[in-house]
Amino acid sequence: MASMEVDEDVAAEATSSSQSVAVESSSQAAGNTSNFTAPTSPAPPAQPATGGGSGSALSDVSPGNSVMASAGTVGSVSVSLHPLVILNISEHWTRQRAQEVTSEVQVLGALIGKQTGRHVEIMNSFELSYDMLDGNIIINREYYTLKEEQYKQVFSDLDLLGWYTTGDTPGPPDLLVHKQICDLLDSPIFLKLNPMARHTDLPVSIYESVLDLVNGVPTLLLVELQYTLATEEAERIGVDHVARMSSHDVQESSIVAENLQAQYSAIKMLASRVRLIAEYVKASQRGEVEFNHEILRQVNALAHRLPVLNSEKFRGEFYNQCNDVALMSYLGTITKCCNTMNRFINRFNLLHERLAMGRRMRGLFF
Amino acid sequence: MASALEHFVNNVTSLSSQGNYGEVVKYVSKSTEVLAKNVAHLDTVLATLEPQAVSLGVMAVLCVRLQNTTHTDANIDTLHATVAEFINVCSEEQIKYAPDMMADLCGSYADLLVAGNCAMRGIEVLSTAIRKTQESPLHLTSIHAHLVHLCLVSKCFKPALKFMDVDIMDISKERGSYDVKHFLLYYYYGGMIYTAVKNYDRAQYFFRVCITTPALAVSHIMLEAFKKYILVSLILEGRIGRIPKYASLVVTRFIKPLSQVYWDLGVAFCTNCPDKVCSVISKNQETFTRDQNMGLVKQCLSALYKKNIQRLTRTFLTLSLADVANRVQLTSPQEAQKYILNMIDEGEIHASINQRDGMVVFLDNPEKYNSPTMMAHLDKEMQLCMEVERRLQAMEEEIVVNPQYVQKVLGPQEDEGPTPSSAQSTSFSIVSSM
């Protein structure tokens, strides 16, 4: 569960094949919406795996402008993404959506993490405030500076790596913002999360920018990057917990109990199988079952494969551990018992309270 | 007035055969005077009534008979035999209707036995009686007190221990005739029995229960129990036992001045100096003997020596026997050796004696806590704990569904009308603490 490789290759190629039109005239917002709403190519960008014919671009001409570099461009860095970032972004988006009346919501934020050589690790994120000017998103610099300072105090070794937003495939407005971020940072990473994605894979795409010559004009184009999910122990537990909380409404048993339940059933099954084998061997010995040498040979081999740990030292250590666990459960039982006793005594006192106490004094007990 | 008795016999027999035991009980309680007047003829009545079928009737007759007899009576033996036989064969079902009568019967029976110096006869009988009248093995009846008394007098402890080792959960009310005296006596005598078998831990517990009984005045039983409590605590823990917080106020305030001598002994004990303790003992010898605690006091003195030897283990690794005797102020190295050997046997100390040099080596506790026996022990303790928790929950349920309790919890809201905010918050916190 530590790292999961997401193969975005094919999806990327599907995307690029559907949009890789070398139509690169200057972008307008209007043009871009048509880009999103009319994927005329066979594989809509949300579908994984199916269409990805590499380089069979130019199949259908979709109107609008693409900001993607041509397929086949390889990213320059490798990226690890922490699940915390994904949680942050989705939480931001959900919060925004819950607050706003309009259903179309786009959120923006910064990504921070570590970069060592050609490896980038995106560890955390925070929100950015922006203003809309002529329909373009302008990032609020002061807010960014303030937040960055604060985050630096807490996470001194995390630097600004890039920015994130939500939405479908990237388009020219994203490039605009990207250019602004480029002022703050040399080559920022751009992460796009699609909250409306229909497929079950992670709807997260990461891009970096390259300066390409398109029709003689140096333009900023996006190259999709491969990323892996990386995590540390504490993060995994926390994220797992949050994910469970949000998916289950009622959590009846503790997670420990579920784990132990799984182990218990596994051991039960093992025990029943071992018993079956032992029964068979006993029955053959008694003569009830035909003496089958092959099966018995296999049983013999199995028995020899088992680790036999019967030394004195093992026993000592084993029981040491057993007793430690038993002691802890004992402590737990005692605590639970004390709790019950405390509740019981409170209620008992309440029931048999002397009248002299009076109602006013009742407040003292709580 | 034999006819009255015949009348009684007939009525009782007919009602019992009908199975109308409630009526029998009522009738029997009404006719106690009749029976009392005709004490002389009661023996014949007993002969006619069959104990198994007409248990209640027989019981009533026996009660009256026992009350009106002394231990010097001529045919006391046959009477005892009759009682024993009755208790053995009586029907439990019928007896359950009149537990107080049974308790009375057993009480008078026990008293007679003690007065007649043949206490041992009654032990088995009373054990059967307890088993038949108890609503459950965890109920305490007044017969328990009598049984323990008999065992103590006859110095035959095992039967009582069987009953005392069970932790009591409830008290059988015996239709109102159960007296706190029985409760106190049970725990006091029980404590004494445990002290006699040297189970000081449980003895201390029993005495503590005795002195923490809710009370408005100090009873003599409590006072005696407290004196023994101090002595047993000295033997067990080496210091004066703390009076628990939940003892009633009268006890904490008044019991100390009444037992000053024992407090002095305890204080002297805590100084770890055997001379002081000896002086206190000899000064107050009379008081101790009068209270019949002299034996315990002497045990306290030897406990002091043991305590001092144990303190030596903390300072020294090895010591010669002569040194041990000196430091603990024993008379000779042989006596020190005897003490240490005893302690090693009982597991109070870990040491080995090298007889050639006369050196004692103090060892660490060899318990490594890594054996299956330790695990079994822990498991048992856990089961006990869970059992306690289950019982507590059952008791809590009883309270929660009690209408009085519900009334009290919801009370403030209804009574005070437009409730002031404080009361409202109180009631909310009450409800939330439910």
Side-chain angles (χ1 to χ4, degrees):
Chain A
M1 193 177 154
S3 57
M4 195 174 85
E5 271 199 72
V6 177
D7 193 12
E8 295 279 70
D9 243 336
V10 189
E13 289 185 72
T15 316
S16 38
S17 69
S18 65
Q19 296 184 342
S20 74
V21 186
V23 181
E24 61 284 2
S25 49
S26 54
S27 52
Q28 258 118 47
N32 290 327
T33 43
S34 65
N35 205 5
F36 296 139
T37 53
T40 52
S41 62
Q47 288 302 331
T50 46
S54 66
S56 64
L58 304 186
S59 46
D60 282 81
V61 178
S62 44
N65 314 293
S66 161
V67 295
M68 304 294 297
S70 52
T73 324
V74 176
S76 63
V77 289
S78 62
V79 181
S80 320
L81 181 63
H82 280 236
L84 177 62
V85 177
I86 307 179
L87 266 177
N88 277 345
I89 302 176
S90 100
E91 189 256 339
H92 185 195
W93 185 82
T94 316
R95 221 184 330 124
Q96 221 35 21
R97 200 173 119 158
Q99 290 172 356
E100 310 251 329
V101 182
T102 53
S103 55
E104 274 299 320
V105 159
Q106 186 180 14
V107 296
L108 219 82
L111 297 169
I112 57 179
K114 300 194 191 140
Q115 173 160 17
T116 43
R118 287 192 49 173
H119 185 76
V120 173
E121 198 174 343
I122 309 178
M123 299 171 83
N124 209 341
S125 65
F126 58 86
E127 304 156 14
L128 287 177
S129 135
Y130 60 88
D131 314 301
M132 296 294 282
L133 224 60
D134 301 329
N136 298 332
I137 298 177
I138 308 291
I139 298 202
N140 188 337
R141 280 301 169 81
E142 288 117 40
Y143 184 75
Y144 162 72
T145 331
L146 176 68
K147 282 296 267 204
E148 207 222 340
E149 225 177 272
Q150 290 174 341
Y151 266 83
K152 266 294 188 192
Q153 283 177 4
V154 183
F155 304 108
S156 47
D157 51 352
L158 299 187
D159 304 309
L160 178 71
L161 286 177
W163 66 292
Y164 69 78
T165 187
T166 54
D168 214 336
T169 40
D174 299 320
L175 264 191
L176 264 174
V177 184
H178 198 84
K179 282 199 189 107
Q180 296 174 41
I181 301 283
C182 283
D183 293 340
L184 299 165
L185 186 68
D186 269 337
S187 54
I189 306 275
F190 168 40
L191 191 150
K192 197 137 194 193
L193 176 104
N194 188 357
M196 306 299 220
R198 287 281 166 266
H199 60 82
T200 51
D201 288 350
L202 216 52
V204 172
S205 335
I206 301 191
Y207 309 94
E208 67 165 355
S209 57
V210 290
L211 211 52
D212 242 352
L213 237 63
V214 179
N215 282 357
V217 181
T219 38
L220 215 54
L221 291 176
L222 294 177
V223 174
E224 178 136 7
L225 292 176
Q226 300 287 11
Y227 65 91
T228 56
L229 289 178
T231 181
E232 1 169 308
E233 280 303 314
E235 191 182 352
R236 181 160 66 86
I237 295 171
V239 167
D240 184 53
H241 202 63
V242 171
R244 270 179 211 257
M245 282 294 122
S246 50
S247 50
H248 300 274
D249 291 311
V250 179
Q251 194 72 340
E252 283 293 344
S253 64
S254 71
I255 300 183
V256 173
E258 281 175 14
N259 276 343
L260 286 180
Q261 185 70 25
Q263 288 180 355
Y264 169 70
S265 9
I267 293 186
K268 202 162 77 154
M269 196 150 55
L270 174 70
S272 73
R273 301 228 171 122
V274 167
R275 209 178 309 131
L276 180 66
I277 297 182
E279 277 300 321
Y280 174 77
V281 172
K282 273 190 225 149
S284 335
Q285 193 183 41
R286 282 197 295 259
E288 291 166 15
V289 177
E290 210 184 292
F291 218 71
N292 186 334
H293 286 278
E294 184 168 327
I295 296 185
L296 288 175
R297 264 199 295 267
Q298 284 179 346
V299 171
N300 192 18
L302 187 70
H304 277 294
R305 277 216 296 268
L306 292 173
V308 177
L309 269 178
N310 246 335
S311 65
E312 192 56 47
K313 195 151 181 276
F314 170 72
R315 275 186 180 281
E317 293 289 320
F318 173 64
Y319 278 111
N320 219 344
Q321 202 169 38
C322 278
N323 288 338
D324 283 341
V325 173
L327 261 176
M328 295 226 286
S329 342
Y330 186 36
L331 183 65
T333 358
I334 296 183
T335 315
K336 188 156 180 249
C337 196
C338 286
N339 185 29
T340 320
M341 204 182 295
N342 187 31
R343 270 207 331 256
F344 171 68
I345 292 178
N346 277 340
R347 290 188 187 169
F348 187 84
N349 279 335
L350 184 58
L351 177 61
H352 298 279
E353 209 177 19
R354 291 202 197 159
L355 291 167
M357 285 283 181
R359 295 214 189 94
R360 244 164 266 157
M361 300 279 269
R362 204 172 299 186
L364 284 180
F365 290 131
F366 305 100
Chain B
M1 294 264 282
S3 57
L5 287 177
E6 276 173 26
H7 196 62
F8 171 77
V9 170
N10 289 333
N11 269 340
V12 166
T13 328
S14 53
L15 282 174
S16 295
S17 53
Q18 283 166 15
N20 201 345
Y21 300 126
E23 284 293 322
V24 177
V25 172
K26 270 186 249 164
Y27 178 71
V28 151
S29 21
K30 269 184 287 183
S31 24
T32 36
E33 294 156 25
V34 173
L35 292 172
K37 274 187 229 148
N38 300 318
V39 172
H41 304 275
L42 283 180
D43 285 335
T44 42
V45 173
L46 279 173
T48 49
L49 287 173
E50 199 194 298
Q52 201 157 10
V54 198
S55 307
L56 287 167
V58 177
M59 189 156 59
V61 173
L62 276 174
C63 262
V64 176
R65 181 79 176 84
L66 283 173
Q67 272 163 8
N68 293 324
T69 186
T70 64
H71 69 275
T72 49
D73 211 351
N75 39 2
I76 193 77
D77 265 350
T78 45
L79 190 55
H80 284 320
T82 331
V83 173
E85 198 212 319
F86 165 67
I87 292 186
N88 272 333
V89 304
C90 66
S91 100
E92 274 178 46
E93 202 192 317
Q94 297 191 21
I95 292 196
K96 291 230 191 302
Y97 281 86
D100 52 339
M101 247 201 287
M102 190 63 171
D104 276 339
L105 171 67
C106 296
S108 354
Y109 175 57
D111 291 335
L112 281 176
L113 284 176
V114 169
N117 276 332
C118 47
M120 219 181 302
R121 294 172 69 161
I123 295 180
E124 194 53 47
V125 175
L126 283 189
S127 306
T128 333
I130 291 181
R131 253 175 257 127
K132 287 200 175 170
T133 47
Q134 255 183 345
E135 288 134 37
S136 89
L138 306 167
H139 272 80
L140 182 67
T141 64
S142 50
I143 311 180
H144 280 88
H146 299 302
L147 172 66
V148 179
H149 185 195
L150 284 182
C151 287
L152 199 56
V153 168
S154 61
K155 296 204 197 336
C156 169
F157 303 131
K158 270 223 188 124
L161 282 177
K162 267 195 308 231
F163 285 101
M164 293 192 318
D165 280 339
V166 174
D167 276 327
I168 301 296
M169 281 294 293
D170 210 346
I171 300 183
S172 66
K173 295 203 190 46
E174 291 170 4
R175 293 198 313 168
S177 86
Y178 185 85
D179 195 25
V180 72
K181 195 174 89 159
H182 297 130
F183 181 83
L184 289 173
L185 277 178
Y186 171 68
Y187 280 101
Y188 176 59
Y189 290 146
M192 286 168 73
I193 290 190
Y194 273 124
T195 329
V197 296
K198 302 224 186 308
N199 188 346
Y200 294 117
D201 196 28
R202 202 131 164 93
Q204 193 193 31
Y205 168 64
F206 266 50
F207 287 133
R208 193 162 48 218
V209 171
C210 200
I211 58 180
T212 55
T213 323
L216 292 172
V218 179
S219 89
H220 279 282
I221 307 178
M222 260 200 219
L223 184 58
E224 297 300 316
F226 181 67
K227 293 176 187 168
K228 295 208 168 57
Y229 175 67
I230 292 187
L231 291 174
V232 169
S233 317
L234 286 179
I235 298 179
L236 185 65
E237 291 168 3
R239 55 190 180 87
I240 304 180
R242 212 174 41 92
I243 303 182
K245 259 197 310 192
Y246 47 87
S248 51
L249 286 175
V250 287
V251 172
T252 32
R253 235 177 275 162
F254 295 123
I255 221 167
K256 193 177 148 205
L258 290 170
S259 50
Q260 189 59 41
V261 173
Y262 293 84
W263 268 94
D264 292 337
L265 177 63
V267 166
F269 194 94
C270 289
T271 62
N272 291 330
C273 177
D275 288 333
K276 282 204 199 127
V277 175
C278 283
S279 61
V280 170
I281 294 180
S282 42
K283 203 171 58 170
N284 299 312
Q285 196 153 3
E286 257 186 51
T287 333
F288 290 138
T289 342
R290 202 183 35 190
D291 289 338
Q292 297 181 343
N293 285 334
M294 201 57 200
L296 266 182
V297 171
K298 290 200 191 122
Q299 284 186 29
C300 276
L301 187 56
S302 54
L304 178 61
Y305 291 125
K306 283 193 201 172
K307 184 177 160 211
N308 284 337
I309 296 181
Q310 271 177 337
R311 272 172 62 240
L312 284 178
T313 64
R314 276 188 255 153
T315 354
F316 295 99
L317 271 183
T318 59
L319 208 53
S320 74
L321 281 172
D323 270 331
V324 171
N326 273 339
R327 283 172 193 276
V328 181
Q329 290 170 23
L330 283 170
T331 47
S332 69
Q334 281 80 18
E335 210 180 320
Q337 187 177 359
K338 198 165 55 114
Y339 262 99
I340 296 184
L341 275 176
N342 276 338
M343 285 168 78
I344 297 179
D345 269 336
E346 288 172 16
E348 291 167 10
I349 197 176
H350 300 281
S352 63
I353 304 183
N354 186 338
Q355 290 212 312
R356 258 184 309 142
D357 307 347
M359 298 290 287
V360 184
V361 182
F362 296 122
L363 307 164
D364 278 331
N365 187 349
E367 174 65 62
K368 286 278 172 279
Y369 300 103
N370 59 357
S371 61
T373 41
M374 180 54 69
M375 188 156 168
H377 183 63
L378 274 174
D379 196 43
K380 200 167 60 110
E381 297 287 326
M382 251 197 286
Q383 296 290 344
L384 281 175
C385 209
M386 294 206 282
E387 184 62 37
V388 170
E389 208 240 332
R390 235 170 292 164
R391 301 237 183 109
L392 276 175
Q393 272 189 334
M395 291 204 277
E396 202 184 340
E397 298 244 346
E398 272 179 31
I399 290 193
V400 171
V401 300
N402 190 335
Q404 246 185 338
Y405 172 77
V406 177
Q407 183 79 20
K408 286 205 182 186
V409 166
L410 296 178
Q413 282 181 344
E414 299 166 280
D415 293 355
E416 294 177 11
T419 51
S421 57
S422 62
Q424 220 170 24
S425 62
T426 323
S427 59
F428 282 140
S429 60
I430 295 175
V431 171
S432 63
S433 72
M434 272 170 83

